[in-house]
């Protein structure tokens, strides 16, 4: 059996209360949606750094995985810390543009991650 060499390992952002918002969000999705998002994240892990159409840089230290689902579009916002891909926020897009509140949530979690990492 061939061993897969991942460039990045995936970790879920954890709140002060110990919650993992992206993991909780994924649990609410259908099996098919989880599979598609998981395959897209795995592609990012194997091929990092990647660009469009799968990965888009949103801001300094903030990227999104862009997944096309049968009934919509999913986004997982993440940061990279060394060889770790930290999943910060996930949501289903309902418009062409990323909603500001979704971006603010990810940016706040990004700030918390780097603040508590020090």
């Amino acid at each position: 059996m061939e061993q897969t060499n991942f460039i990045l390992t995936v970790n879920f952002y954890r709140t002060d209360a110990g919650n993992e918002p992206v993991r909780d969000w994924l649990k609410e999705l259908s099996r098919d949606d989880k599979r598609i998002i998981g395959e897209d994240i795995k592609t990012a892990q194997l091929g990092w750094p990647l660009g469009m159409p799968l990965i888009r840089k949103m801001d300094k230290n903030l990227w999104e995985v862009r997944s096309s689902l049968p009934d919509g579009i999913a986004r997982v916002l993440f940061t990279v810390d060394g060889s770790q891909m930290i999943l910060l926020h996930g949501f289903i897009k309902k418009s062409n543009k990323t909603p500001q509140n979704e971006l603010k949530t990810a940016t706040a979690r990004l700030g918390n991650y780097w603040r508590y990492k020090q």
Side-chain angles (χ1 to χ4, degrees):
M1 202 178 225
E2 204 174 303
Q3 183 178 353
T4 305
N5 292 323
F6 291 98
I7 295 169
L8 299 175
T9 58
V10 169
N11 290 292
F12 291 92
Y13 167 81
R14 186 172 290 180
T15 66
D16 292 340
N19 300 323
E20 295 175 327
V22 176
R23 187 186 303 267
D24 294 340
W25 171 73
L26 287 168
K27 287 178 183 177
E28 297 172 6
L29 300 177
S30 72
R31 174 175 277 181
D32 285 344
D33 289 354
K34 284 186 255 200
R35 182 186 53 76
I36 292 166
I37 294 166
E39 287 175 1
D40 289 343
I41 289 170
K42 184 176 178 182
T43 299
Q45 286 181 269
L46 290 166
W48 186 255
L50 294 171
M52 293 288 277
L54 181 64
I55 304 293
R56 184 172 119 194
K57 185 162 184 148
M58 302 299 290
D59 206 348
K60 183 179 180 203
N61 296 319
L62 186 64
W63 292 267
E64 68 177 2
V65 176
R66 304 158 53 89
S67 298
S68 294
L69 307 177
D71 296 326
I73 301 167
R75 296 291 186 256
V76 177
L77 297 165
F78 68 96
T79 193
V80 174
D81 181 8
S83 63
Q84 295 183 82
M85 179 182 196
I86 311 298
L87 306 183
L88 300 167
H89 185 53
F91 62 97
I92 302 293
K93 269 181 71 167
K94 293 178 173 48
S95 64
N96 286 339
K97 196 167 180 173
T98 300
Q100 277 304 116
N101 63 321
E102 305 290 4
L103 204 49
K104 283 181 183 175
T105 298
T107 302
R109 290 176 183 165
L110 177 63
N112 287 339
Y113 173 77
W114 289 112
R115 191 170 16 265
Y116 292 115
K117 183 184 180 331
Q118 302 305 328

